[in-house]
Amino acid sequence: YDNSIKLATTSTGIDVTGTATMDALTVDGNNSYTSNIKFDYGASAATYFSNWGYKSSSDGNKVFLTITDGGVAKDALVANYNGNVNIPTALMLGATTAPTAPLDVVTNSNVWTGEFLQTNTSNGDGVLIQVGSTASADYALSVRTNAGNNSALAVKADGKVGVGTFTPSFTTGSGIEIKKNGAATLRLHDEGSGGKVFEISSNDNEGYVLAGYGSGMPMILKTVSTTALTLDTSQNATFSGSVTSTGAITTSTRVLSP
């Protein structure tokens, strides 16, 4: 069996069979617009092959990788002269299975999977995420933990935002819904000496509602880490210190009945 390198010229260029080692390779096309290297699949070369090359087009010079599978050609990579790179189908980095998104990055290491840095400190923007849908079933952004089983942050296409839930829901309108089992669901901590920890403001006739839906779970207001007011599930209000309420409000001098 003759396993030596075969080199032959054809009507379209040079045909190499076997392995060729060289210091450099220059491919000059037969016209000023296109030149490429073709890699074929043996007996099925007519329908299974790839082209890696260069072409000049109306929107600039390009380097391209085209793959033909079953006679159907698709651009896998196109790099423009100005540095822009277009991957028409999907880019898979680190994954061992088929990509599930146009950009699919999978890693098993102790570094960040992705990082976006804007070094312009005067007026540079960060990251833009945009969806065309306004449907409640679609996500603009989904941040998940526990191998994707838990939702840390869900921004839905209809404007609702959920923390700790995949499906933030509101009776009307949109806003932020926070769900969590265990201790405090939301904690606001002001480290400064001035300003407010939080402020609730309503600019319509609806006002605002603080509602506790859990059975046997009171609402408690504290000052300096000491309970000042407790509202139980029977709507009784108890004030700390000298003010106590059991239905009606009782002070040291008078009773205010409903």
Side-chain angles (χ1 to χ4, degrees), residues 12-214:
T12 57
I14 300 175
D15 185 8
V16 179
T17 302
T19 301
T21 302
M22 60 193 74
D23 294 331
L25 175 64
T26 299
V27 178
D28 190 358
N30 55 7
N31 57 60
S32 60
Y33 297 101
T34 302
S35 59
N36 67 84
I37 301 175
K38 179 181 178 181
F39 304 88
D40 65 38
Y41 187 59
S44 302
T47 54
Y48 295 91
F49 59 90
S50 64
N51 292 84
W52 179 263
Y54 165 89
K55 64 182 176 181
S56 178
S57 59
S58 59
D59 57 345
N61 301 328
K62 299 177 181 180
V63 174
F64 65 91
L65 173 62
T66 300
I67 298 177
T68 300
D69 190 334
V72 179
K74 293 182 179 180
D75 283 338
L77 173 68
V78 178
N80 198 281
Y81 75 100
N82 56 16
N84 295 330
V85 178
N86 178 29
I87 301 175
T89 304
L91 173 61
M92 182 175 63
L93 302 176
T96 57
T97 59
T100 59
L103 176 59
D104 196 344
V105 181
V106 179
T107 183
N108 183 16
S109 64
N110 58 357
V111 298
W112 295 103
T113 303
E115 187 175 33
F116 299 90
L117 297 178
Q118 167 60 273
T119 59
N120 187 330
T121 59
S122 59
N123 58 0
D125 295 321
V127 177
L128 172 64
I129 300 176
Q130 178 177 313
V131 294
S133 170
T134 58
S136 60
D138 296 330
Y139 288 92
L141 175 66
S142 179
V143 179
R144 307 182 182 191
T145 62
N146 189 24
N149 295 310
N150 298 338
S151 174
L153 175 65
V155 181
K156 305 306 289 287
D158 61 354
K160 297 182 178 67
V161 178
V163 177
T165 176
F166 286 105
T167 55
S169 59
F170 301 88
T171 304
T172 58
S174 62
I176 300 176
E177 179 181 7
I178 302 175
K179 289 184 178 181
K180 179 181 178 294
N181 293 326
T185 300
L186 174 64
R187 184 172 185 262
L188 303 177
H189 187 86
D190 186 5
E191 293 286 352
S193 59
K196 307 177 182 67
V197 176
F198 71 93
E199 181 176 339
I200 299 176
S201 178
S202 176
N203 195 29
D204 56 29
N205 295 325
E206 298 296 326
Y208 58 88
V209 176
L210 297 177
Y213 293 104

